[in-house]
Amino acid sequence: MTYDIELAEAELDTAARLRLFTQAHAGRSGAVVSFTGLVRDLANGESVTALHLQHHPVMTKRAIQAFASEARQRWSLDGVCVVHRVGVVAAAESIVFVAAAGGHRRAAFEAADFLMDKLKQDVPLWKQERTATCARWVAPTADDQRAAQRW
Amino acid sequence: MTSIQFFGQLSDVAGDARHIKLPSEITTMRALLDWLSQSSPELQEPLRQPGIFLAIDNSVVGLDANPQGARELVIGSVISGG
């Protein structure tokens, strides 16, 4: 079982991350599922220039590790990778990369879905949208809350 | 001295951190929020928002947790990562 949990200030090369993760699990695992979240350049009809991600220096990474561990046990995964950007993330850049490797596709799909819902709802990260004229904090949507309750 | 770190919308109003001597009568996080609201009226509304995030020395806690003796307290607006 491999864990790769990281909070990154620099831009993510998600293609390289996925290639390395896949290579690390090729042979033993039957499925690798990955998800990349991108910063949208439009919100509520207004252009978004960037997101600012606030995090706690200890608790944020610890919470991600705890959910990765929970996913590993729940779906008997071979590997998990979670990389979340912190600080300022420009529009169109990747904000999060999640990958799960498992024996079969269903486990890998569900684990990646679970991890994304937990990142949205239960990991101490605070997201602020920046536009040309203002900055506003983002609250979780009703969809986010419903999604997290599935687990 | 106890450090209080503020996150999210709260940090816009309260600043990133405050260092305080915690009064001995404050034995719950709920009492701490009330005390902060009284001493800083601008915090009253954001501290009443639902889903507020609380932690003592790197552990997530609820409103009844006792902050006495803590090195660091965290108070954050509702979290929104991903």
Side-chain angles (χ1 to χ4, degrees), chain A residues 32-35 71 75 77 79-82 97-101 105-119 150-151:
Chain A
V32 167
V33 166
S34 74
F35 172 84
W75 286 281
L77 300 175
V80 175
C81 177
V82 179
F97 173 78
V98 169
R105 70 182 189 284
R106 186 64 56 208
F109 272 120
E110 288 188 3
D113 199 13
F114 165 83
L115 286 166
M116 274 313 304
D117 284 341
K118 291 299 182 184
L119 284 168
R150 292 182 299 149
W151 311 106

Side-chain angles (χ1 to χ4, degrees), chain B residues 8 16 21 26-27 35 41-42 46 48 59 62 65-66 68-70 75-76 82:
Chain B
D16 290 338
K21 186 173 187 314
I26 294 178
T27 56
W35 181 72
E42 71 277 12
R48 284 185 182 155
S59 294
N66 187 345
Q68 287 293 335
I75 306 175

Side-chain angles (χ1 to χ4, degrees), chain A residues 53-59 62 84 95-96 116 119-128 137-140 145, chain B residues 5-12 16 53-60 72 74-82:
Chain A
L53 269 295
Q54 258 187 355
H55 74 290
H56 186 276
V58 175
M59 284 190 292
R62 187 187 285 175
H84 207 297
I95 183 173
V96 62
M116 274 313 304
L119 284 168
K120 282 264 184 195
Q121 198 70 24
D122 293 317
V123 170
L125 285 161
W126 292 269
K127 194 159 60 181
Q128 186 188 55
W137 293 96
V138 178
Q145 289 165 346
Chain B
Q5 309 284 326
F6 295 96
F7 289 88
Q9 189 173 11
L10 272 165
S11 65
D12 284 348
D16 290 338
F53 179 89
L54 302 172
I56 299 176
D57 290 338
N58 298 329
S59 294
V60 179
E72 182 196 86
V74 169
I75 306 175
S77 307
V78 62
I79 58 183
S80 57

